[in-house]
Amino acid sequence: MFTARDRLKLLAGGAAFAFTGCGGGGGNSSTPPPITMTPPTPPTPPPAAFEPAVGQFRDAFSGKFAIGAAIKTSQINEDGRDAEILENQFNSITSEFEMKPEVIAPSEGVFDWTAPDALVEYAESNGMAIRGHTLLWHQATPDYFFAGTPAEVRARLENYVTEVVTRYRGRIFAWDVVNEVVTDDSSLGDPYRRSNWWDASGGNADYIDWALEAARAADPDCLLFINEYSTRFAGKRARYIEVIRDLVDRNIPLDGVGHQMHISVETNASDVLAAIDAIDAEFMGLDQHVTELDISIYADPESCFADQTGCRADYGSNVPEDILRTQAELYRGLFNGFSERNSIKSVSTWGISDAQSWLDTFPVTRTNAPLLWDRDRDSKTALQAILDPDFTP
Ligand code: XIL
C-alpha cells in the first residue's frame, strides 16, 4: 500500500523527469502535469558472495598438487573459524613457526614437542599431509647451535636433524631441510649466504650437506627440500640453480626445490612461472613445491625490505578495489600456470586468512591482505578467480 510518505517521495522523484518532459516549452498552463503512479523499482540486490563448496579448492587441483596452508597451533585451538576453512578447503599443512629449532630445541639438550606434536596429530586426524618447516635456517635458531668447532657444530646439527626427522618419520611427507641458504649478494663470487651457519661451518657451506644427509638417514622416504625466496629474479635464480647443481652433481640427497613465493600485486605471473620452468629445464625429476605463497597488496621498493624506508603507505581498512582485482588476476594466472606444470606437487599459502598474516608486521607494521580469505573469514574474489574461469574479478 502507498502511504502518504511514499506518494510524497514519488512526487519529488518524478519532478525532474516531469520538467525535462516539458521541454521547457510550457510554463503558462495553470493545470499541473499528470502524475503517473508507477511503483518504485526495488533496488537490485548485491550479487551473492562467492562461497566455495566444501572441498572445492583442494578438489580443483586433485591429481596435480596438494593445497596447503601455514598454520599455528593457536589457529586450531581457537574459535574454530580457521580450522573450518582449513578442514573444508585444504589437504596439507605447514607449521608457520612451531617446527623451527628455537621452538623445538630452545636450549641445548632440551626438546619440546608440544606444538609440533599437536600439529602433526591435528593433520593426521583430518587426513591432511604435513610439510615440515624448517630444519636449518639462519633465523629462529638458538645461538648454542653455532658454538664450538665445525666438528662440534656438525655433530649438534646432525643430532638435531636426526631427532626431529626420526620423531615424525613416515608422518611428515616433505621437509624444508635447508631454508634461505642462497645469498642476495651478487658480488661474492659464490652463491652462498654469509650467515651464522656459514661461519659455524668454518667459512663454507658444508652444513647444507650435513643437514641433508642426516635427514635422509633418519627417514629414507621423506622428500627432502631446499627452499628459497625471490626465485623469480634472474640473478637469485641463477645462484639457486648453482647451489642445487652442486648438490645434485655430488649426489647429496635432495628430492625437491621450494619456491617461497612471497610476491606482491606488481609481480608478473610469467616471471614466477619462469622460475618453475628454469628448474624443470635444469633438473628433470626434482619435485617443485610452492611453499609460502602470499601476494602483498603493497608494491614496495627494495629499500623497504633492506632498511624499512620507502615502504608504501598503509591503506588501513580502505584497500582499493582495483588492487584486490589485480591480486585476484595474479592468483588466477599463477594457479592456471601451476596446473600446467607437472613437477609442481604442492602449493601452500603462508596463512589462511588476512586476519593472521606475517605481512601485517613485515617488512613494516601495516594492514595487509595477501591471502584468499579476508579478515572476516569470507572468501575473497581471488579465490573465486582461481576456481571459476567465467568470473571476471
Ligand atoms: C615467518 C613466520 O610467518 C613468522 O610467524 C615468524 O615469526 C617468522 O617467520 N620465510 C620463511 C618463513 O621461510 O619461515 C617465514 O615465516 C617467512 C619468510
Side-chain angles (χ1 to χ4, degrees):
M1 285 316 278
F2 272 152
T3 59
R5 211 184 165 81
D6 289 327
R7 196 180 145 75
L8 255 180
K9 271 202 244 159
L10 246 186
L11 280 170
F17 179 76
F19 283 138
T20 343
C22 286
N28 58 352
S29 166
S30 55
T31 1
I35 295 165
T36 339
M37 296 292 286
T38 356
T41 336
T44 330
F50 173 74
E51 180 62 34
V54 171
Q56 192 177 346
F57 188 20
R58 62 177 171 243
D59 291 351
F61 302 100
S62 75
K64 292 179 186 285
F65 46 80
I67 293 290
I71 66 161
K72 4 185 201 267
T73 47
S74 57
Q75 290 170 289
I76 53 179
N77 297 331
E78 263 165 10
D79 60 12
R81 289 190 295 168
D82 287 322
E84 188 183 336
I85 298 172
L86 197 59
E87 289 157 31
N88 282 348
Q89 301 298 341
F90 293 79
N91 52 17
S92 177
I93 61 158
T94 305
S95 168
E96 186 170 352
F97 63 80
E98 289 154 308
M99 289 189 189
K100 289 171 182 167
E102 71 179 0
V103 175
I104 292 187
S107 47
E108 189 147 20
V110 175
F111 286 84
D112 182 352
W113 305 107
T114 321
D117 276 2
L119 289 170
V120 169
E121 281 155 23
Y122 170 79
E124 286 178 339
S125 59
N126 287 286
M128 294 173 180
I130 307 151
R131 294 194 81 262
H133 177 87
T134 172
L135 297 168
L136 183 146
W137 193 25
H138 60 280
Q139 291 181 32
T141 306
D143 285 344
Y144 75 80
F145 270 88
F146 309 108
T149 63
E152 286 164 339
V153 169
R154 176 178 187 172
R156 196 185 289 111
L157 173 64
E158 287 173 346
N159 179 55
Y160 175 77
V161 170
T162 305
E163 285 282 340
V164 180
V165 177
T166 304
R167 186 173 185 90
Y168 301 116
R169 180 168 48 208
R171 304 168 78 190
I172 287 186
F173 87 104
W175 266 105
D176 289 331
V177 179
V178 292
N179 192 35
E180 303 185 353
V181 299
V182 180
T183 185
D184 290 316
D185 184 347
S186 59
S187 68
L188 291 178
D190 70 69
Y192 300 101
R193 174 186 290 275
R194 300 307 190 256
S195 68
N196 37 22
W197 280 113
W198 172 272
D199 294 341
S201 274
N204 58 60
D206 291 353
Y207 63 87
I208 300 178
D209 298 6
W210 302 339
L212 286 163
E213 280 168 344
R216 174 62 91 237
D219 185 350
D221 298 323
C222 178
L223 300 175
L224 308 182
F225 273 72
I226 185 169
N227 193 39
E228 195 52 69
Y229 64 86
S230 291
T231 61
R232 68 189 180 282
F233 297 118
K236 185 72 177 281
R237 177 155 78 232
R239 292 191 289 279
Y240 197 25
I241 287 174
E242 209 180 325
V243 170
I244 300 165
R245 168 63 54 213
D246 173 67
L247 294 170
V248 169
D249 286 353
R250 291 185 300 111
N251 285 316
I252 303 296
L254 183 73
D255 302 299
V257 174
H259 303 261
Q260 292 187 0
M261 234 174 259
H262 296 293
I263 58 178
S264 87
V265 285
E266 72 170 358
T267 304
N268 292 315
S270 56
D271 292 340
V272 173
L273 297 170
I276 307 288
D277 292 339
I279 298 293
D280 275 340
E282 286 280 335
F283 308 104
M284 214 179 49
L286 286 187
D287 285 349
Q288 300 202 64
H289 287 184
V290 176
T291 54
E292 306 181 18
L293 176 61
D294 51 23
I295 303 181
S296 169
I297 56 174
Y298 301 101
D300 291 311
E302 260 317 296
S303 66
C304 180
F305 298 95
D307 57 14
Q308 290 71 56
T309 58
C311 305
R312 298 274 179 254
D314 192 351
Y315 288 125
S317 51
N318 301 313
V319 182
E321 282 299 318
D322 62 312
I323 297 284
L324 293 175
R325 264 198 300 279
T326 304
Q327 183 186 57
E329 274 155 10
L330 180 52
Y331 264 117
R332 168 183 279 169
L334 291 177
F335 275 83
N336 284 344
F338 298 155
S339 294
E340 291 162 359
R341 288 163 170 81
N342 294 332
S343 61
I344 297 192
K345 298 288 174 11
S346 168
V347 176
S348 301
T349 54
W350 204 242
I352 300 169
S353 84
D354 293 342
Q356 298 191 47
S357 162
W358 74 302
L359 294 178
D360 270 345
T361 52
F362 177 89
V364 287
T365 298
R366 195 173 46 181
T367 307
N368 214 322
L371 294 163
L372 296 169
W373 276 263
D374 69 17
R375 283 169 188 268
D376 297 325
R377 273 57 168 203
D378 291 325
S379 63
K380 289 165 63 179
T381 50
L383 184 67
Q384 187 171 6
I386 292 170
L387 295 177
D388 177 2
D390 298 326
F391 170 65
T392 308

